[in-house]
Amino acid sequence: MSDDGRPWASRFRPSTLNEIAGNERAVGQLRGWLRSWEKGPPERRAAFLYGPPGVGKTCSVVALANDLGFDLFEVNASDYRTKKRLDELVGRASMQTMTITGKRRMILFDELEGVSGREDRGGISAIVSLIKGTRVPIVLVATATGEMWEDKFGPLVDLSLVIEYRPVPFSAILRRLREIADELGTQVEEEALEHLAHRSQGDLRSTINDLEAIARGAERVTMAEAEVLGERDRSDYTPDALMKMFSSKTLMDARRVISSSLISYDTLFDWIYENLPVVLDDSGDLAEGMDALALADIHQTRGRRSQEYRLLKYMFNDMTGGVALSRSRSEGAGLVKLVRRKVAELGFQPSSFTITERPEGLQIKPVRYLGDDWRPFNSALRGMGAQWVREGGYWNVPYFRPPQLIWRYRKTWHSRRRLRSVAERVAERCHVSTREAVAEVIPLLKVIFKEDASMAKQISGWLELDDKETKWLKS
Amino acid sequence: MSSGMWAEKYRPQNLDDMVNQTEIVSRLKNFVKDRNLPHLLFVGPAGVGKTTSILALAQDLYGPGYRSFILELNASDERGIDVIREKVKNFARTAAISSEVPFKILIMDEADSLTSAAQHALRRTMEIYTRTCRFCLIGNYSERIIEPIQSRCSVFRFSPLSEKDLKGRVRTIAKEEGVNLIPEGLDAIFDAAEGDLRKATNLLQAAAATQGGEVDDIAIYGVLGRVSPGKVREMINLGLKGEFLEAREVLRALLIDEGLAAEDIIRMIYSEVLRLGIPEKRKVQLSDAIGEVDYRLTQGARSEIQLSALLAKLALAGEEMC
């Protein structure tokens, strides 16, 4: 590949699947879904890809289109402000399965997060009706985290195969950087590459930009040069911003997280809530910190209800300063304690692992070969956001994990839908409200369905439940 | 008669079948005899026969085709008073075809959960359709029903079931279903049901499903541990032990996976906290904290955040009591 003057992030943008770093599972899901179109339109005619920036969401769509021979029709945020505009632009494309050149077509909606606020509601509903009628695969891409997932994209998510992209693992980023350096014939010190990979926080695109900043035109790059990048004044990746916030000693320092972090204050709130019990490992601190967060929530509710957005500053003070300054007796060893407890719970000796604090997270290395014990331990740690780093033979547990809300809502999407439909049946047949059905009757039905097949059969006949609902009660 | 849930199978079909609330039942029978009735307001705790009474009255009054003469609404499931009004309008507009009874009956369960503004709107609706439609409003507390509605209704106060009545009824059902319910099991059901016969019957049925042989107290506690109040207790205990993260996981499971309303969770927390073996003064303190959260929830605060803050308080209280 010649140096054509393009920025490296675009020059080294993967054009085939093999070049995509990380997110193998997500890419596999997307690929499987696209392949399923060969047998005619599948049940879900759209795929919804979401995740942090620079992890290869759009890249993988482009690469897959190349690999599978699709003609890609790209639509950007500015194109879907209104239904009319969208119909003009995409309506016909979604009905033609083939292009003039005989290629199969596929439609990509990029930067979906750009659809914001009420004026765009038309936009979302226009996409919804497109999905319902489309004859070609539609891929939706959003750099999205946080609660808005349920609210804003709810109607889209309902119709789509939802695929989550995660930050690219440290090791995959390191590998890709090395490949690029080799291809360029530039000698980059291993330490420098590691420094870059660590700074990346899983954002491969920005890391390639960083590499370009120090290596373009150079024959050798040393650690000293990489360090110059230091604290580049780009907005902080959330975990870094949180780290600063939790160690603040003044209200003003703590509040800085609101403006310096990449994400909305709503999402930031969720991050703080998720991680606060790990950081504040003293009960007194925790109660105080949670109190501050609960008050922040109250201020926000008041602001929203009265439409007086000046009230939000009180929310910011509580959720940042209120939380950070409640830290007085905590040792900041919550994560270590948590890991130790997991170790003990699974029946290991504390000496079976070494636990080291590293900048990128807690490094947990087994002292001996784990054999079959690896799996349960792996899944326990994964629950804490850990990743197994094969090269080093250790797990890396990040100090801060993303809010679990999205993940939880996603995981329980179908189950909650069944819950609603069963609750309506129960409410009608048992003369109770659906709320009461959920709280009082369904939990008992679940016990019955698990324990007594013949009674279950009778009840499901009586409630006129379908197979899926019956199965849900049994699960 | 085949019915999946025993609570429905053994729900009395006619007023004559009802063994409890005898005074109320005899007054309702007079309405049937007269072929006329006023608007009704039934108040009393859950599971003591309010809905059963009105359904039984309707069957006695209209006969086997009674379903087409009644409309059951649950205020907590309806989206606003406008929807309710629309439904009432459509139902009441078509005059009853029965030769003898010139009106239909609209049953509004959980009417006390309506805001007072909604109740005022409902009152006007009641007046408009009073010729062709009788309203039977059902709720737990009469104080939560506005005066103007109360004064337009005959108010019936349902009393809690006595221990003897509740146990007798559960024993009868167990016998009919061939369940070997031993006295310890029955005591456990009584303790858990808090006077609610429907709850007691459902509990019996679930316990019977888990048990091949006899249903004893262990079987009952086994079932209770697997349903929401049991999980709430587990959450509280985790909190008290200082295992906040685990407690929060349970909270999330209750709120998201099981879809419980925050108000129901707070109600269960409250009744569990009162039963805890902790100093009485602590109970008052915790009750205070629960009350604050309860209020905040009515003000639209985020339930998981507020309930988590409560769990953190439990953790602190647990540590201080050590």
Side-chain angles (χ1 to χ4, degrees), chain A residues 41-208:
Chain A
E43 195 193 330
R44 294 185 177 268
R45 299 191 181 188
F48 184 93
L49 279 46
Y50 75 98
V55 299
K57 297 184 297 295
T58 308
C59 278
S60 60
V61 179
V62 175
L64 267 169
N66 273 344
D67 281 12
L68 300 175
F70 277 98
D71 175 76
L72 195 64
F73 189 98
E74 280 188 62
V75 194
N76 287 314
S78 52
D79 299 326
Y80 35 84
R81 289 263 168 247
T82 65
K83 184 169 164 44
K84 190 159 162 273
R85 170 121 179 77
L86 190 67
D87 282 342
E88 279 167 14
L89 199 70
V90 196
R92 218 173 45 188
S94 73
M95 301 312 280
Q96 292 173 331
T97 54
M98 290 278 181
T99 61
I100 309 172
T101 55
K103 268 183 147 184
R104 287 183 300 160
R105 175 165 275 154
M106 142 184 181
I107 298 172
L108 166 65
F109 283 89
D110 209 352
E111 305 161 24
L112 211 63
E113 70 281 2
V115 186
S116 68
R118 284 207 183 79
E119 79 274 20
D120 284 319
R121 279 287 148 76
I124 294 276
S125 69
I127 300 175
V128 165
S129 52
L130 266 178
I131 294 175
K132 285 184 176 155
T134 186
R135 293 200 195 144
V136 305
I138 292 182
V139 181
L140 311 164
V141 174
T143 302
T145 43
E147 228 180 320
M148 64 174 179
W149 196 84
E150 268 279 291
D151 298 348
K152 192 161 100 181
F153 299 132
L156 296 175
V157 163
D158 232 357
L159 291 167
S160 308
L161 169 73
V162 178
I163 302 177
E164 182 190 13
Y165 279 67
R166 302 176 154 239
V168 181
F170 177 78
S171 56
I173 290 197
L174 192 58
R175 204 179 312 130
R176 184 75 189 126
L177 289 178
R178 205 176 286 134
E179 280 168 15
I180 293 173
D182 288 349
E183 201 175 317
L184 293 163
T186 310
Q187 291 229 310
V188 186
E189 276 181 12
E190 193 60 24
E191 213 188 342
L193 285 181
E194 278 178 22
H195 178 74
L196 287 175
H198 167 238
R199 272 173 47 93
S200 76
Q201 310 280 8
D203 180 344
L204 182 55
R205 182 173 45 212
S206 76
T207 313
I208 297 178

Side-chain angles (χ1 to χ4, degrees), chain A residues 270 273-274 283 291 294 297 341 408 412 416 431 433-436 438-440 451 459 462, chain B residues 5 72 74 76-77 110 198-199 226 246 248-249 252 257-258 264 302 304 306 308 313 319:
Chain A
D270 290 346
Y273 169 59
E274 188 67 41
S283 319
D291 246 352
D297 176 47
R341 198 158 74 218
R408 189 124 204 170
T412 58
R416 283 182 295 123
H431 310 277
S433 64
T434 52
R435 190 177 130 189
E436 209 175 330
V438 165
E440 305 282 351
E451 302 285 346
I459 292 176
W462 178 69
Chain B
M5 295 298 285
E72 275 184 88
N74 196 302
S76 84
D77 280 340
E110 298 193 32
R198 178 174 51 231
K199 218 187 225 176
R226 289 163 68 174
E246 284 76 2
R248 186 171 74 172
E249 272 310 299
R252 284 179 168 168
D257 307 2
E258 309 210 2
D264 286 326
R302 278 172 63 181
E304 189 185 330
Q306 300 299 334
S308 277
K313 284 206 175 68
E319 193 179 87

Side-chain angles (χ1 to χ4, degrees), chain A residues 147 266 269-270 272-278 282-288 290-291 293-295 297-298 300-301 305 338 341-342 345 401 403-405 408-409 411-412 415-416 419 427-436 438-441 443-452 455 458-459 462-463 472, chain B residues 2-6 8-9 11 46 51 55 67 72 74 76-77 109-110 196 198-199 202-203 205-211 223 226-229 242-246 248-249 251-253 255-261 263-264 267-268 296 298-306 308-309 312-313 315-316 319:
Chain A
E147 228 180 320
D266 268 335
F269 182 97
D270 290 346
I272 294 171
Y273 169 59
E274 188 67 41
N275 291 289
L276 171 138
V278 178
D282 170 86
S283 319
D285 291 1
L286 176 63
E288 208 181 314
M290 267 314 305
D291 246 352
L293 214 50
L295 284 173
D297 176 47
I298 300 280
Q300 182 179 29
T301 310
R305 286 206 158 177
L338 211 60
R341 198 158 74 218
K342 283 272 182 275
E345 264 171 27
R401 68 172 185 179
Q404 301 294 295
L405 217 61
R408 189 124 204 170
Y409 272 117
K411 203 181 74 167
T412 58
S415 157
R416 283 182 295 123
L419 173 68
E428 196 195 322
R429 297 293 264 149
C430 300
H431 310 277
V432 294
S433 64
T434 52
R435 190 177 130 189
E436 209 175 330
V438 165
E440 305 282 351
V441 186
L444 289 170
L445 280 180
K446 281 185 173 169
V447 173
I448 294 173
F449 274 61
K450 250 180 227 137
E451 302 285 346
D452 188 333
M455 196 189 282
Q458 222 194 351
I459 292 176
W462 178 69
L463 287 172
W472 174 78
Chain B
S2 148
S3 172
M5 295 298 285
W6 296 350
E8 292 309 308
K9 186 172 173 182
R11 192 195 280 278
T51 308
L55 290 175
R67 282 258 144 231
E72 275 184 88
N74 196 302
S76 84
D77 280 340
D109 215 333
E110 298 193 32
D196 183 338
R198 178 174 51 231
K199 218 187 225 176
N202 284 340
L203 190 52
Q205 185 171 13
T210 64
Q211 225 60 21
V223 171
R226 289 163 68 174
V227 298
S228 322
E243 302 191 354
F244 176 82
L245 277 168
E246 284 76 2
R248 186 171 74 172
E249 272 310 299
L251 174 63
R252 284 179 168 168
L255 276 172
I256 302 175
D257 307 2
E258 309 210 2
L260 283 187
E263 288 81 1
D264 286 326
R267 176 172 52 78
M268 293 176 200
R296 288 179 180 184
T298 64
Q299 300 301 302
R302 278 172 63 181
S303 44
E304 189 185 330
I305 302 295
Q306 300 299 334
S308 277
K313 284 206 175 68
L316 183 59
E319 193 179 87

Side-chain angles (χ1 to χ4, degrees), chain B residues 219-239:
Chain B
I220 299 297
Y221 293 131
V223 171
L224 285 172
R226 289 163 68 174
V227 298
S228 322
K231 288 181 187 163
V232 167
R233 186 176 316 141
E234 181 196 340
M235 176 176 83
I236 291 173
N237 287 334
L238 285 168

Side-chain angles (χ1 to χ4, degrees), chain A residues 242-377:
Chain A
L242 283 185
M243 186 74 89
K244 279 186 207 145
M245 189 211 88
F246 274 113
S247 44
S248 301
K249 295 277 175 274
T250 66
L251 172 59
M252 278 308 137
D253 273 351
R255 262 191 71 152
R256 211 155 282 143
V257 70
I258 300 275
S259 49
S260 73
S261 92
L262 276 165
I263 52 180
S264 71
Y265 63 83
D266 268 335
T267 313
L268 188 67
F269 182 97
D270 290 346
W271 273 85
I272 294 171
Y273 169 59
E274 188 67 41
N275 291 289
L276 171 138
V278 178
V279 180
L280 302 178
D281 53 357
D282 170 86
S283 319
D285 291 1
L286 176 63
E288 208 181 314
M290 267 314 305
D291 246 352
L293 214 50
L295 284 173
D297 176 47
I298 300 280
H299 288 302
Q300 182 179 29
T301 310
R302 290 175 180 166
R304 200 179 280 154
R305 286 206 158 177
S306 61
Q307 300 279 306
E308 295 285 358
Y309 290 101
R310 67 193 154 80
L311 297 177
L312 283 182
K313 60 177 173 287
Y314 308 113
M315 171 201 186
F316 297 157
N317 287 345
D318 268 327
M319 73 185 255
T320 60
V323 168
L325 300 176
S326 61
R327 180 177 177 180
S328 61
R329 285 171 302 270
S330 296
E331 298 155 31
L335 192 59
V336 178
K337 282 189 203 164
L338 211 60
V339 170
R340 291 236 166 86
R341 198 158 74 218
K342 283 272 182 275
V343 168
E345 264 171 27
L346 287 161
F348 293 103
Q349 291 296 320
S351 58
S352 313
F353 299 92
T354 59
I355 302 178
T356 325
E357 286 184 37
R358 297 276 297 263
E360 65 269 23
L362 216 53
Q363 179 182 310
I364 299 153
K365 198 174 174 132
V367 170
R368 57 173 179 83
Y369 176 64
L370 286 174
D372 287 344
D373 292 341
W374 187 84
R375 273 175 203 290
F377 195 67

